[in-house]
Amino acid sequence: MRKIMVEHVNLDITEQLKNIKCPTLIVWGTLDDAVPIERAHELEQLIPDAGLVVYEGCTHYAYLERLNQTVNVLWNFL
């Protein structure tokens, strides 16, 4: 199981991200210790028509930590 997890975590999907054709919303917390905020900015640049919402002081589960704000953001996005 560990081998599978390591392979997925290290999988490079850079080229596939460039093929996303629909508007994409990225929600990230500044205190995400699983995936650094720099990755969010990288994703925003790689995915055409992507937007990034950053929640200051939130973790990997930023969208849940500020659920009401996330719902409002989603309504505006949709």
Side-chain angles (χ1 to χ4, degrees):
M1 185 67 155
R2 179 176 171 85
K3 180 179 182 245
I4 292 170
M5 183 68 140
V6 169
E7 286 176 7
H8 279 81
V9 168
N10 293 319
L11 185 63
D12 183 4
I13 58 169
T14 303
E15 290 306 312
Q16 289 85 353
L17 293 172
K18 296 174 184 177
N19 295 324
I20 295 175
K21 302 293 184 215
C22 63
T24 303
L25 178 64
I26 303 166
V27 177
W28 220 275
T30 58
L31 299 179
D32 188 333
D33 60 357
V35 185
I37 189 74
E38 293 79 22
R39 186 66 175 149
H41 294 290
E42 188 179 328
L43 291 172
E44 183 184 23
Q45 294 301 312
L46 290 170
I47 300 171
D49 200 17
L52 173 61
V53 175
V54 177
Y55 291 162
E56 291 291 328
C58 290
T59 68
H60 191 69
Y61 300 100
Y63 62 96
L64 291 176
E65 293 170 37
R66 296 206 186 148
L67 188 56
N68 289 337
Q69 184 176 355
T70 302
V71 169
N72 289 329
V73 168
L74 284 170
W75 276 114
N76 286 312
F77 175 75
L78 296 173

